[in-house]
Amino acid sequence: MTKKVFKYLSFWLVIFLFSGVLSSLLRFTLKQWLLMIGVMSLATFGVVWVANFWESRQKQELKAMENRMVSTVAGGVPRGVLAEPDSPYYDLIRQFNEMQNFVQQAQQTAQRDVTNYRSLLASLPVGVININRAHTIDVFNETAAALLGIQRPETPISEGLVIRQFTLSELITQTFNSQKNQQSILNLQINGEMKQYEVSTLYHQGDLKHAEVMIIIYDLTSVLQVERMQSDFLANASHELKTPLTAITGFIETLQGQAGEDRTTREMFLDIVAQEAKRLSSLVNDILSLSRVQQKREAVHTELAIHDMVTEQWQHVMPLATTKSVTLRNDVADDFMIRGLKTDVDMILQNLIGNAVKYNVFGGDIHVTAYKDHQHWQLNVKDTGIGIPTNQQTRIFERFYRGDESRQRKIASGTGLGLAIVNEIVNKHNGEIKVQSQVAVGTTVSVTLPL
Ligand code: ADP
């Protein structure tokens, strides 16, 4: 402000002196001199005012550009400045506006990329963690949190606060030290449960200062479990098949020797051979049934009359039922119809009714009922047999599992695959199977399937 006053005063002093010299040369009266000073002052101040006005307008345009730039740098939306065609900065402002436009588009693209990257990370079925040289985590996706059994932490966060498994942090350190990618299958204790993870570490760096390690974690637990189940199944199946085969070959060899000449021994041994051959054939049939159920091939659903299907299966077990004097009460209504796969429902009935006869007591009963609501139908097979001890009830669906009673006392022959097949069928249809049993009272097996 003082600068401005001083500027105006110096202008006025020049006018005063100049008009003084001019009026003494032209011999002006005091009145004429004063008039001249007035006119000259007015004209000069007018010109200065216009020049100032012009300058401040240009300054405003520069100031506006500066403000927009500061806001853009601070993360605001990049915006342009109004360009007046008569402004000396017209071209500069237009260039500035184009640059702001470009920055805005670049910002939008970057924002989109970040959103895509975040949702990709969040939906990845593998855990992803990125750690820098200072052992600070800057990427940690949802799957990694779930696999390590923790809440997803806010990043950046120190590695030590999140990765508590010794073998995992050792693998990370090893990757930093060796500067080489590593791969390992780790057994980790996660919230009290043992898990098997395949962990790959990727060493990546621009220069030495910025070395980073990306960790990819893949849950192998269920894959290894399936592999184990398959190899267990193979081992069990081979063992189960070998037992009757060994017996058959052994007895045939004996029969081929002197023992075969005795009629009683021959008949006894041939009986055993026939029994073992029957067992072998049941095993092969059950293994084939299990593999057919697992194939999940699409098949045609038809209208099934459950009452008639129960009666049909009963005919198949009639010989054993008659020997044991076991009776059937088929309480499924005649008109109880469902749509389903005939082979699967037959297989369920065959195994449940078969077991109800096999594990029943002499003179026992079997009661079959069925119900449905608008979403499911349920089949119940109840018997008055030997029952299943509580500690065995969870194991009876395992392949080749036979209850202690059935094995040791040889109550009934079987392969240990019947309930495993039923369970497989029920799972295939997203159904449910339940067992209620009491030793020496009886067992009820209930199968619920969606309609
Ligand atoms: P299997 O009958 O060939 O032994 P399953 O898989 O059908 O094989 O049954 C597994 C085991 O469950 C049987 O060995 C038996 O101990 C028990 N079990 C199944 N059904 C019954 C039942 N209704 N009553 C008593 N025990 C049963």
Side-chain angles (χ1 to χ4, degrees):
M1 188 64 191
T2 29
K3 222 169 146 187
K4 239 179 190 172
V5 172
F6 189 72
K7 194 164 112 187
Y8 279 105
L9 267 178
S10 50
F11 266 127
W12 199 77
L13 198 68
V14 172
I15 291 166
F16 181 77
L17 289 173
F18 180 70
S19 61
V21 174
L22 205 66
S23 63
S24 74
L25 282 176
L26 298 175
R27 296 175 195 283
F28 277 3
T29 62
L30 179 68
K31 210 172 163 187
Q32 283 172 320
W33 179 59
L34 285 175
L35 190 71
M36 189 170 76
I37 288 181
V39 171
M40 282 179 82
S41 302
L42 268 178
T44 311
F45 287 122
V47 168
V48 169
W49 186 83
V50 169
N52 270 348
F53 173 76
W54 194 242
E55 192 190 327
S56 85
R57 216 189 90 184
Q58 288 164 3
K59 270 192 182 160
Q60 267 175 15
E61 287 172 336
L62 290 177
K63 189 74 194 159
M65 284 200 283
E66 188 191 331
N67 288 343
R68 295 274 195 263
M69 262 194 276
V70 170
S71 142
T72 307
V73 171
V77 179
R79 291 216 310 263
V81 169
L82 185 69
E84 299 285 358
D86 58 347
S87 162
Y89 301 127
Y90 181 73
D91 286 337
L92 178 69
I93 293 174
R94 280 192 42 200
Q95 290 294 329
F96 173 79
N97 287 349
E98 265 178 39
M99 186 190 77
Q100 289 288 83
N101 234 337
F102 175 77
V103 172
Q104 188 173 12
Q105 275 170 16
Q107 266 186 1
Q108 281 168 354
T109 313
Q111 190 58 46
R112 220 178 22 246
D113 285 352
V114 168
T115 315
N116 287 346
Y117 164 75
R118 287 214 178 115
S119 40
L120 177 76
L121 262 186
S123 61
L124 275 179
V126 291
V128 180
I129 304 171
N130 195 62
I131 303 181
N132 65 26
R133 226 321 154 204
H135 290 271
T136 302
I137 295 176
D138 52 14
V139 174
F140 199 102
N141 76 346
E142 278 74 359
T143 312
L147 291 178
L148 296 182
I150 53 170
Q151 286 260 318
R152 197 177 85 83
E154 281 301 319
T155 48
I157 186 167
S158 165
E159 178 198 323
L161 292 176
V162 179
I163 296 176
R164 308 231 171 224
Q165 292 74 13
F166 177 70
T167 41
L168 183 56
S169 46
E170 217 187 28
L171 195 72
I172 298 164
T173 313
Q174 210 179 327
T175 314
F176 273 120
N177 293 346
S178 65
Q179 304 186 1
K180 283 200 177 85
N181 300 346
Q182 310 279 333
Q183 194 172 26
S184 189
I185 292 179
L186 302 182
N187 289 317
L188 301 180
Q189 185 86 21
I190 307 291
N191 294 340
E193 219 184 307
M194 204 42 137
K195 297 277 191 180
Q196 277 94 36
Y197 294 159
E198 183 182 312
V199 182
S200 306
T201 57
L202 309 173
Y203 184 81
H204 58 110
Q205 68 169 149
D207 52 69
L208 249 180
K209 264 196 231 154
H210 296 108
E212 294 189 345
V213 170
M214 181 167 275
I215 303 146
I216 316 278
I217 309 173
Y218 179 66
D219 188 356
L220 277 182
T221 316
S222 49
V223 177
L224 292 179
Q225 215 169 351
V226 170
E227 267 178 25
R228 220 169 11 241
M229 268 173 66
Q230 276 170 347
S231 74
D232 281 357
F233 177 76
L234 264 181
N236 285 333
S238 322
H239 174 78
E240 294 290 329
L241 290 170
K242 222 176 138 201
T243 315
L245 260 182
T246 315
I248 292 171
T249 359
F251 281 111
I252 289 177
E253 272 168 19
T254 318
L255 284 170
Q256 280 168 339
Q258 271 198 337
E261 282 161 24
D262 175 47
R263 192 185 145 94
T264 334
T265 318
R266 199 170 58 230
E267 274 173 11
M268 195 174 81
F269 282 12
L270 278 175
D271 259 2
I272 299 174
V273 169
Q275 264 176 35
E276 293 298 326
K278 219 170 123 194
R279 181 169 149 70
L280 200 59
S281 143
S282 307
L283 263 168
V284 172
N285 280 339
D286 279 356
I287 291 172
L288 286 176
S289 300
L290 197 61
S291 108
R292 183 191 65 79
V293 173
Q294 284 175 329
Q295 276 169 4
K296 293 186 180 163
R297 239 188 270 135
E298 282 302 311
V300 188
H301 286 230
T302 50
E303 284 291 315
L304 306 175
I306 303 298
H307 178 96
D308 297 348
M309 289 173 78
V310 171
T311 309
E312 196 187 318
Q313 288 306 326
W314 180 248
Q315 303 302 326
H316 294 156
V317 289
M318 195 70 108
L320 182 62
T322 313
T323 321
K324 293 179 79 173
S325 285
V326 171
T327 49
L328 169 80
R329 185 142 60 100
N330 182 355
D331 265 345
V332 181
D334 285 344
D335 58 352
F336 188 90
M337 306 291 289
I338 59 122
R339 273 192 81 76
L341 290 180
K342 185 164 183 334
T343 41
D344 283 355
V345 178
D346 267 337
M347 189 65 76
I348 293 174
L349 289 170
Q350 179 192 320
N351 282 296
L352 298 190
I353 296 174
N355 282 351
V357 177
K358 275 197 306 187
Y359 302 108
N360 221 321
V361 289
F362 189 85
D365 290 324
I366 299 172
H367 187 198
V368 182
T369 49
Y371 307 95
K372 65 175 157 183
D373 59 21
H374 50 284
Q375 279 180 323
H376 300 95
W377 73 282
Q378 190 183 61
L379 174 85
N380 306 301
V381 180
K382 185 178 178 187
D383 65 55
T384 53
I386 57 167
I388 308 166
T390 321
N391 62 342
Q392 291 177 22
Q393 287 178 17
T394 48
R395 300 205 56 200
I396 54 176
F397 300 108
E398 288 173 20
R399 293 162 186 189
F400 298 112
Y401 178 82
R402 301 211 66 211
D404 292 345
E405 295 278 299
S406 10
R407 258 202 200 288
Q408 287 162 10
R409 297 196 194 169
K410 300 235 182 278
I411 284 175
S413 63
T415 59
L417 284 174
L419 288 181
I421 295 171
V422 175
N423 193 37
E424 201 78 41
I425 296 173
V426 170
N427 285 342
K428 185 175 81 171
H429 295 287
N430 296 320
E432 216 187 331
I433 183 162
K434 259 200 261 170
V435 176
Q436 276 176 302
S437 187
Q438 208 179 328
V439 174
V441 176
T443 304
T444 305
V445 183
S446 305
V447 166
T448 309
L449 292 169
L451 279 173

